[in-house]
Amino acid sequence: MDGEQLTAQETALYDRQIRVWGADAQRRLSKAHILVYGMKGTVAEFCKNIVLAGVGSLTLVDDRMVTEEVLSSNFLIPPDENLYSGMTLAELCCNSLKDFNPMVRVSVEKGDLSSFGVDFFDNFDVIVVSSCSLAAKKLINKKCRTASKRVAFYTVDCRDSCGEIFVDLQDYRYSKKKLEETINCHLQYPSFEEAISVPWKTLPRKVSKLYFATRVIEKFEEVEGRNPGEASTADLPGVLKLKKELCDAHSLNESHVPDNLLERLVTNTSEFPPVCAIIGGILGQEVIKAISGKGDPLKNFFFFDALDGKGIIEDISSDSNTGK
Amino acid sequence: MDSQQKLSVVKGAKVLMVGAGGIGCELLKTLALSGFQDIHIIDMDTIEVSNLNRQFLFRQSHVGQSKAKVARDAVLKFRPHISITPYHANVKDPDFNVDFFKQFNVVLNGLDNLDARRHVNRLCLAADVPLVESGTTGFLGQVTVHVKGRTECYECQQKPAPKTYPVCTITSTPSKFVHCIVWAKDLLFTKLFGDKNQENDLNVRSTGAASSSEPVEDVFERRKDEDIEHYGRRIYDHVFGYNIELALSNEETWKKRNIPKPIYSRHVLTDEFTQQNGDVDKNLATDVGPSVSAMAFLGMNNPQDIWSLMENSRIFLEALKLFFTIRGKEIGNLSFDKDDQLAVEFVTAAANIRAVSFGIPLHSLFEAKGIAGNIVHAVATTNAIIAGLIVIEAIKVLQNDTNSYRMTYCLEHPSRKMLLMPVEPFEPIKSCYVCSETPLLLEINTQRSKLRDFVEKIVKAKIGMSFPLIMHGSALLYEVGDDLDEDMVANYAANLEKVLSELPSPVTGGTMLTVEDLQQEFSCNINIKHREEFDEEKEPEGMLLLGWTQPFSAAEKDNNRSIGNGASVSNASSSTTAEAATDDEIEIIHSGKKRKLSEDSKKTDSGISKVDDETKISKQLEILDDEDDLVMLNEGGTDKKKKRLL
Ligand SMILES: [Zn+2]
């Protein structure tokens, strides 16, 4: 790192966390630029976490207007129509987030992220997207990968009491200390598109059922032309039909994608606040790890289901499943 | 979970949150978002700058205000129509009695200390209200569920015992930086700036035998009209030079140890140098309060720097001088406070100079402050995750969904691919002295120990009672309370000074005492066993309480990374005892201390790393290879049977 020191103000404010990750990591954080897209509850949690952690800047993209659903899980938006009318979700969240930490620059960018040019992505170190269509996820991920420097890409979504995080750090090297030794680590991540194209039957037998269920619903919303998160109870027969087709195509036993799990995910599409807190917390931790180079980042999916309480990492990439 | 049903139990619930700190802020937010409408919150603390990096409901402008009240106001901004009742008070206040607890459907703890956790545990047991308990440190955290009669209580599992250092390690043979910190903070600082009447082991003795009668003048007293520069150097030379020299004369001590080197100020600092520091009284206003800084005065501003011996010496003398010249009024009443900049500077410098003597690596002010202040590592993300898990368990408790209760560990490194690991809760331990009626056993010399020793070291320090009442059969030996008449008070005061076997109702081997805390509505029985001798090093308290928590093994002593890594000298006893950390969110993985999650030897999907060493989970983890892949902790290594909630 360059010799720049943290100011006395920074040292006082970040005292407790510097004790966790050190002053070097704190300096790296303060130079990182992060962009988020899709301001629902989970992303609001994530934004709170990284603004508190003291990143350099946070850019919010979401031109949608306030809805009941957003209000129910996003604590950044005051539920007062006089306050929120006429403003976009990004603008409203921006106002609240600025308040959390005056040392972080929080701003709004208008427009459709997937249509932005690659040079726009060059401005950021981390992109987090939520409530995105399958096509948009693939496209944005691709743009991150073609940027002139490494732009870490994350997707995050919660439905009912379940959540999923996807991580693409591309080619990621870091070092860690084990006892006195320094170990150099190297991880190679697949893109979102590559990861979800890994044939299901090559995946380990115990891979999280949520992985398959989420792919089924994601695909359903794409083929039906729905907005992300729009599949509802009425769609259950269609979703189950698609599940069968996908399982057949992948030669995967249908029991790996339980009907009742799919039913849960289409019946209650809104976010469950405790799960937003958990997923937003894990995602915050992962982004802090990736920026600071401290700690093993997860590769490359994370799932949480409040029903069994397990928070699981799955490595879904073609090289990791070939009997390594 | 049926979401309609979930919503209705949540809406109708009345919950008590204890703690509005790191976990508390997150918890209050998540409860409000999840639809809870009647939340009571207790916290005695006020907001500090170092809270702002994670206690997101607080702003710079709130520093100094009540956490409970500010947290309430902040949450009402996004959930204006719910009821939040704040109490800016200590949960141990008598107002929060069993009747108070009985009005709640569930109690949620986001506490920072063992003492309060135990207190709440007992009240929840007495009031028969379920408790969801939590704790975090750094990236680690845990949530546990305690329902009377169904799952273990918070005290069924042994808690990390306060770390103790033999007094001679602190006074004569430090081998780690923490020993130097304890010496600087609890002995030197207290001697110079604190209560002069307190017993203090600062001066090393030339022989192993205790107190030879030498009523010499108190070298630590500033002589009348003594120049402050002269005084500072005299103290410096005494503690870092003369005392070390004296210790060296005891050759036996150094046969197997590195020989320390005495340090005198004249060797480190030249005379003209101290003069340059100028006249403090001229340069500074008289009432700068706790913001006075020797570092600032000397133009040193990076708390991460490790100072040289000379720099430490300058800080030492400058800080001492500033205390006497600017904060003179406080001298005699000061106790170490991690938020007192000058105190931290003084302690850092003194500990470092001592470390030089003993060949121990030096540390920065930032690090020294952490050790001296028992500062707990804390990040926002872990608190957010833990708060989410608390709400999930709280909802299960409200739905009476007993089979789904889980205790969940939040790990730094995945275990069996899991970062969040749910485990079935344990059944209550039948021999738990808190939630069962099993008596404790106390080995004590009944002919030498006084009732006071028993009250302080056992009833208060170990059993954790604040307002104890002690009975031998129907005879009352001791009690505390506001409503006692004078005769009783005098009577109890006299009893305190009596040796156990000479009490009006003599306590000897075979006696059973009943100890009760009226506020906690908790009582337990203690069987007394007379024992003549105790090992001074291993049993510095001169008594041994069995059936509650075993002393830590020798291995634990060498472990610096345990939680609450600071320590303080207890003057009353011959040992140095670490206090439980006092900042937020302390006290990790309560059972983590003693359960090891070992690897699953059975088939697993892929190579799985061991559970974080830092959790020091030391007993065995057994994995049930059922469809649900549930993980269960088992007390391996002991004969205890598997415990499962059925
Ligand atoms: Zn118990």
Side-chain angles (χ1 to χ4, degrees):
Chain A
M1 286 313 286
D2 56 332
E4 266 178 64
Q5 282 183 9
L6 296 170
T7 64
Q9 190 193 5
E10 286 171 313
T11 309
L13 177 65
Y14 301 133
D15 184 284
R16 297 304 186 269
Q17 66 198 38
I18 293 173
R19 292 177 194 282
V20 176
W21 52 60
D24 261 2
Q26 190 62 50
R27 277 192 290 271
R28 287 191 194 105
L29 278 173
S30 70
K31 296 196 182 91
H33 304 289
I34 298 179
L35 179 140
V36 298
Y37 179 75
M39 299 305 304
K40 290 194 352 182
T42 312
V43 174
E45 287 280 349
F46 167 74
C47 290
K48 171 207 69 192
N49 293 335
I50 52 155
V51 166
L52 291 174
V55 295
S57 76
L58 173 64
T59 305
L60 314 177
V61 187
D62 196 331
D63 296 341
R64 293 174 301 168
M65 295 293 153
V66 172
T67 60
E68 267 311 304
E69 194 215 333
V70 169
L71 276 183
S72 74
S73 57
N74 187 330
F75 60 93
L76 298 172
I77 303 173
D80 178 346
E81 207 168 341
N82 298 318
L83 296 175
Y84 68 66
S85 69
M87 289 172 81
T88 66
L89 290 182
E91 286 167 336
L92 287 162
C93 293
C94 179
N95 288 344
S96 297
L97 285 165
K98 272 181 182 163
D99 234 20
F100 286 180
N101 187 348
M103 286 189 260
V104 178
R105 292 188 305 280
V106 188
S107 61
V108 170
E109 188 73 40
K110 295 219 170 199
D112 171 19
L113 184 60
S114 51
S115 68
F116 291 176
V118 171
D119 47 342
F120 176 81
F121 290 82
D122 277 339
N123 299 322
F124 300 96
D125 302 288
V126 173
I127 307 277
V128 172
V129 305
S130 178
S131 321
C132 257
S133 69
L134 182 54
K137 284 194 240 185
K138 290 178 185 169
L139 185 57
I140 295 167
N141 190 186
K142 205 170 278 172
K143 287 182 179 176
C144 290
R145 287 189 152 243
T146 40
S148 61
K149 59 160 186 193
R150 183 163 55 82
V151 180
F153 173 78
Y154 297 82
T155 74
V156 63
D157 281 293
C158 292
R159 291 175 95 111
D160 192 60
S161 50
C162 303
E164 177 189 81
I165 296 172
F166 165 78
V167 183
D168 176 15
L169 300 182
Q170 302 171 28
D171 194 52
Y172 186 75
R173 288 169 200 274
Y174 64 106
S175 56
K176 59 179 174 185
K177 283 220 164 68
K178 204 149 205 179
L179 302 171
E180 293 307 297
E181 245 181 306
T182 303
I183 303 171
N184 292 313
C185 306
H186 181 202
L187 291 174
Q188 276 178 301
Y189 287 77
S191 68
F192 185 71
E193 187 161 13
E194 286 160 355
I196 61 169
S197 327
V198 174
W200 289 1
K201 64 173 183 299
T202 68
L203 295 174
R205 186 177 61 84
K206 280 191 173 176
V207 117
S208 170
K209 297 172 170 65
L210 262 178
Y211 172 72
F212 302 115
T214 310
R215 302 286 79 78
V216 170
I217 290 174
E218 184 179 75
K219 188 80 192 165
F220 178 84
E221 286 172 344
E222 174 166 74
V223 296
E224 297 290 317
R226 305 290 178 79
N227 285 325
E230 251 185 26
S232 66
T233 317
D235 296 316
L236 188 59
V239 168
L240 294 178
K241 184 164 162 279
L242 180 63
K243 170 194 107 164
K244 192 176 177 336
E245 287 166 22
L246 288 173
C247 284
D248 288 349
H250 282 281
S251 331
L252 184 80
N253 188 313
E254 279 187 62
S255 67
H256 284 94
V257 201
D259 289 358
N260 58 3
L261 178 57
L262 287 167
E263 187 179 347
R264 273 173 67 204
L265 295 177
V266 294
T267 307
N268 192 2
T269 55
S270 59
E271 298 172 289
F272 181 42
V275 176
C276 295
I278 292 164
I279 292 288
I282 297 279
L283 180 61
Q285 228 147 283
E286 286 304 318
V287 167
I288 290 166
K289 277 188 210 166
I291 294 170
S292 65
K294 292 266 161 90
D296 305 304
L298 71 80
K299 179 172 182 261
N300 55 349
F301 279 89
F302 178 81
F303 297 96
F304 177 77
D305 184 349
L307 210 61
D308 64 13
K310 282 190 266 191
I312 295 189
I313 298 170
E314 297 288 2
D315 185 348
I316 300 186
S317 45
S318 47
D319 53 348
S320 69
N321 305 303
T322 47
K324 180 188 69 168
Chain B
M1 266 177 270
D2 177 329
S3 56
Q4 275 321 108
Q5 193 222 343
K6 192 154 70 189
L7 202 62
S8 74
V9 295
V10 160
K11 276 188 171 165
K14 184 169 182 175
V15 305
L16 175 65
M17 279 179 57
V18 191
I23 294 174
C25 280
E26 294 288 340
L27 180 56
L28 187 59
K29 171 258 301 165
T30 304
L31 285 172
L33 289 174
S34 303
F36 284 84
Q37 302 197 333
D38 190 359
I39 307 167
H40 293 237
I41 179 163
I42 304 176
D43 197 312
M44 68 189 290
D45 285 343
T46 52
I47 295 158
E48 292 173 28
V49 171
S50 63
N51 300 149
L52 303 177
N53 79 316
R54 61 197 186 285
Q55 300 178 16
F56 77 102
L57 299 174
F58 310 144
R59 304 284 172 269
Q60 189 74 42
S61 61
H62 296 135
V63 169
Q65 298 183 41
S66 155
K67 286 188 176 179
K69 291 179 179 164
V70 174
R72 167 191 184 267
D73 295 345
V75 168
L76 288 184
K77 283 191 182 139
F78 62 84
R79 280 295 177 274
H81 303 301
I82 67 172
S83 160
I84 303 175
T85 313
Y87 306 85
H88 182 205
N90 188 339
V91 69
K92 293 176 83 172
D93 286 351
D95 290 348
F96 306 121
N97 56 17
V98 173
D99 285 337
F100 175 85
F101 273 73
K102 275 185 177 154
Q103 63 182 307
F104 299 103
N105 300 103
V106 63
V107 174
L108 312 174
N109 269 358
L111 275 164
D112 59 2
N113 68 86
L114 184 62
D115 209 36
R117 285 186 167 106
R118 293 171 73 186
H119 186 84
V120 173
N121 180 47
R122 289 161 193 197
L123 281 163
C124 286
L125 286 167
D128 200 5
V129 178
L131 169 66
V132 182
E133 174 62 74
S134 68
T136 67
T137 182
F139 294 116
L140 305 174
Q142 63 166 15
V143 172
T144 51
V145 187
H146 307 282
V147 179
K148 190 178 181 177
R150 292 211 66 100
T151 68
E152 63 178 4
C153 84
Y154 176 69
E155 295 176 84
C156 276
Q157 298 289 341
Q158 299 161 11
K159 294 297 168 291
K163 194 180 207 110
T164 62
Y165 301 105
V167 76
C168 61
T169 304
I170 301 304
T171 58
S172 331
T173 55
S175 57
K176 288 176 184 165
F177 191 67
V178 62
H179 302 150
C180 300
I181 286 282
V182 173
W183 175 86
K185 179 177 79 145
D186 292 338
L187 298 181
L188 185 60
F189 184 89
T190 310
K191 188 77 185 174
L192 291 171
F193 313 119
D195 184 357
K196 296 274 186 290
N197 299 321
Q198 257 184 44
E199 205 181 304
N200 193 308
D201 292 304
L202 184 60
N203 277 318
V204 277
R205 292 166 192 122
S206 45
T207 62
S211 65
S212 54
S213 54
E214 30 179 302
V216 283
E217 66 152 331
D218 187 353
V219 290
F220 295 98
E221 199 65 43
R222 185 177 171 191
R223 293 174 198 137
K224 203 162 183 292
D225 301 326
E226 185 177 16
D227 174 56
I228 187 64
E229 302 284 347
H230 183 268
Y231 174 65
R233 285 191 169 235
R234 193 163 60 77
I235 296 297
Y236 187 110
D237 291 344
H238 181 80
V239 298
F240 302 118
Y242 173 79
N243 271 358
I244 303 283
E245 208 101 52
L246 204 63
L248 282 175
S249 65
N250 191 356
E251 286 170 22
E252 199 55 33
T253 313
W254 310 109
K255 277 189 176 155
K256 287 178 194 160
R257 293 184 169 93
N258 289 331
I259 295 172
K261 107 178 167 269
I263 300 172
Y264 289 95
S265 60
R266 62 181 177 277
H267 299 141
V268 180
L269 299 168
T270 56
D271 274 337
E272 67 261 50
F273 177 69
T274 16
Q275 244 102 78
Q276 282 171 11
N277 287 351
D279 192 336
V280 181
D281 311 72
K282 266 188 229 155
N283 295 340
L284 290 168
T286 41
D287 57 346
V288 249
S291 62
V292 187
S293 158
M295 275 172 80
F297 210 74
L298 296 173
M300 294 152 71
N301 51 28
N302 188 353
Q304 309 270 354
D305 284 344
I306 295 176
W307 304 325
S308 66
L309 174 59
M310 191 181 78
E311 287 168 322
N312 277 299
S313 302
R314 290 173 68 191
I315 294 278
F316 178 90
L317 292 172
E318 195 58 45
L320 185 137
K321 183 163 129 190
L322 288 170
F323 268 120
F324 274 88
T325 51
I326 293 178
R327 296 175 57 185
K329 280 185 199 138
E330 300 167 63
I331 288 176
N333 300 315
L334 280 165
S335 55
F336 178 80
D337 173 358
K338 68 174 173 8
D339 297 314
D340 179 340
Q341 172 70 18
L342 193 58
V344 173
E345 291 171 355
F346 178 84
V347 164
T348 303
N352 274 325
I353 300 168
R354 188 167 171 84
V356 172
S357 269
F358 286 88
I360 296 166
L362 306 195
H363 286 67
S364 69
L365 176 120
F366 181 82
E367 294 164 316
K369 180 180 173 179
I371 300 168
N374 288 321
I375 294 177
V376 175
H377 305 182
V379 286
T381 48
T382 315
N383 290 333
I385 294 164
I386 289 301
L389 293 168
I390 294 172
V391 176
I392 289 171
E393 291 309 317
I395 293 172
K396 291 181 201 168
V397 165
L398 293 170
Q399 291 177 312
N400 205 13
D401 186 7
T402 31
N403 292 329
S404 304
Y405 296 166
R406 292 291 179 271
M407 48 186 183
T408 307
Y409 294 94
C410 178
L411 305 172
E412 181 171 3
H413 306 296
S415 170
R416 305 186 72 248
K417 303 198 296 186
M418 282 183 271
L419 283 176
L420 300 175
M421 190 168 71
V423 168
E424 279 195 37
F426 295 115
E427 282 182 351
I429 292 197
K430 292 196 176 62
S431 61
C432 173
Y433 77 96
V434 179
C435 66
S436 83
E437 318 249 292
T438 313
L440 290 159
L441 176 67
L442 178 68
E443 297 183 356
I444 189 168
N445 187 323
T446 54
Q447 283 146 21
R448 233 186 288 147
S449 296
K450 293 176 179 170
L451 183 64
R452 176 183 295 285
D453 300 325
F454 173 69
V455 171
E456 294 299 328
K457 294 179 192 174
I458 301 297
V459 179
K460 289 188 179 170
K462 293 237 160 46
I463 303 181
M465 292 184 172
S466 314
F467 300 97
L469 174 152
I470 299 166
M471 280 184 301
H472 179 196
S474 56
L476 255 174
L477 296 175
Y478 181 71
E479 74 184 299
V480 238
D482 300 331
D483 50 350
L484 304 175
D485 65 45
E486 278 175 35
D487 291 358
M488 300 295 275
V489 173
N491 192 10
Y492 294 142
N495 279 355
L496 278 181
E497 302 314 322
K498 285 182 184 147
V499 166
L500 294 180
S501 59
E502 288 162 15
L503 284 163
S505 169
V507 174
T508 55
T511 300
M512 186 169 87
L513 291 177
T514 302
V515 216
E516 208 172 319
D517 186 307
L518 296 176
Q519 197 198 332
Q520 295 174 349
E521 291 202 12
F522 166 59
S523 83
C524 68
N525 293 326
I526 304 177
N527 286 320
I528 302 294
K529 183 179 169 194
H530 175 77
R531 188 172 136 195
E532 203 55 44
E533 295 297 332
F534 290 86
D535 184 321
E536 248 184 73
E537 285 277 309
K538 287 183 195 140
E539 301 157 332
E541 282 157 336
M543 50 188 84
L544 185 61
L545 185 67
L546 300 164
W548 77 296
T549 174
Q550 287 154 14
F552 264 143
S553 64
E556 188 63 30
K557 273 194 207 145
D558 292 329
N559 197 338
N560 256 337
R561 300 237 35 200
S562 67
I563 311 310
N565 50 357
S568 71
V569 169
S570 133
N571 287 297
S573 78
S574 59
S575 76
T576 302
T577 313
E579 305 272 298
T582 46
D583 192 61
D584 310 67
E585 314 108 39
I586 143 144
E587 216 238 323
I588 197 186
I589 313 259
H590 85 283
S591 41
K593 276 288 172 184
K594 16 169 225 43
R595 291 176 191 160
K596 180 169 221 146
L597 309 178
S598 74
E599 277 207 50
D600 178 16
S601 52
K602 296 172 207 158
K603 54 188 175 213
T604 50
D605 306 334
S606 58
I608 286 145
S609 66
K610 285 232 173 74
V611 164
D612 195 336
D613 341 299
E614 281 167 83
T615 58
K616 279 183 264 106
I617 297 172
S618 67
K619 285 186 187 169
Q620 267 192 343
L621 170 77
E622 188 178 297
I623 288 123
L624 303 179
D625 203 12
D626 61 7
E627 162 59 13
D628 219 17
D629 222 3
L630 193 79
V631 172
M632 197 180 83
L633 285 171
N634 183 28
E635 308 257 309
T638 71
D639 293 330
K640 284 177 186 154
K641 283 183 226 128
K642 280 185 205 171
K643 285 169 265 102
R644 294 186 66 174
L645 182 78
L646 297 172

